[in-house]
Amino acid sequence: GETPGPLHVEYYRQRAGAGLIVNEGTQISPMGQGYMDTPGIHSPEQVAAWRKVTDAVHAEGGKIVVQLWHVGRISHPDLLGGAAPLAPSAIPANGKTFIGGEYVPLGQPREITVDEIAATVEDYRRAARNAIDMLRPVVARGDAIPPIGFMLNYPQDPDVGFALASLRAGRRAWALARADGWLRADDDPDAPGN
């Protein structure tokens, strides 16, 4: 399901001795889901479940990183309560996702609004606060935020200045992470000595 269960706890616990564990992509919000039964980190139940995973890894002396993601256009309305996937543009991705026992073409996305960009940045911020050890935002074929994902397939609109706005939003998210204290100094790539 969308909440880690006992198999997650055991799976990651067994791998604690391998070094730093990078978990599977973990959606930051219900609109960030692109695949069936992938876990999120946006509800209290999900956070509590990830805490069990992290506690098990720590008990074995390991470290774990959560990959925060919003899949953007790499989704389907059946995974989003009927809503169209959000994306930097209404350009569909070429691919499929697994729904109801079969692979189906990805859904037709709709262009994200400026207000929704701000809301998605806030979703990342909230998910990062929920994260257990540290965060690693994921950028891949059309994911929404981090900003590079937007720049790859957005038809440049001079009125919106989307690419620049996206870069600024990403930089603001990292700045807020530092200011709020949930980005530890040893995890901050811009901290002295890192």
Side-chain angles (χ1 to χ4, degrees):
E2 295 169 26
T3 301
L7 288 176
H8 285 83
V9 174
E10 185 61 15
Y11 177 87
Y12 287 113
R13 185 198 62 74
Q14 290 174 349
R15 287 149 180 82
L20 177 65
I21 297 171
V22 179
N23 81 328
E24 69 253 51
T26 304
Q27 60 251 14
I28 60 163
S29 69
M31 282 299 294
Q33 184 173 0
Y35 307 93
M36 280 181 46
D37 298 328
T38 54
I41 193 163
H42 48 85
S43 75
E45 296 78 19
Q46 292 165 336
V47 173
W50 278 117
R51 172 55 67 194
K52 291 176 184 175
V53 170
T54 302
D55 288 348
V57 170
H58 288 173
E60 298 291 328
K63 294 203 176 277
I64 186 166
V65 178
V66 61
Q67 291 190 73
L68 301 179
W69 75 348
H70 183 302
V71 298
R73 67 187 183 145
I74 310 298
S75 191
H76 190 279
D78 287 357
L79 299 170
L80 305 173
L86 296 177
S89 67
I91 299 169
N94 183 19
K96 294 183 178 190
T97 192
F98 193 77
I99 298 174
E102 65 181 332
Y103 285 96
V104 298
L106 295 169
Q108 173 65 44
R110 69 174 179 78
E111 188 173 306
I112 194 170
T113 67
V114 172
D115 288 343
E116 289 168 329
I117 294 168
T120 302
V121 170
E122 181 57 30
D123 288 341
Y124 266 99
R125 184 177 180 194
R126 187 176 16 263
R129 281 190 181 136
N130 291 340
I132 311 308
D133 272 346
M134 54 190 190
L135 78 120
R136 178 182 178 266
V138 176
V139 178
R141 334 160 272 162
D143 292 356
I145 311 272
I148 295 168
F150 281 121
M151 292 170 46
L152 293 177
N153 71 342
Y154 188 78
Q156 297 300 313
D157 181 338
D159 294 330
V160 176
F162 196 82
L164 183 57
S166 297
L167 287 171
R168 288 182 181 146
R171 290 179 68 190
R172 279 196 305 271
W174 281 108
L176 290 169
R178 283 188 202 101
D180 286 353
W182 50 257
L183 180 65
R184 300 186 318 229
D186 57 336
D187 296 332
D188 184 347
D190 295 328
N194 288 353

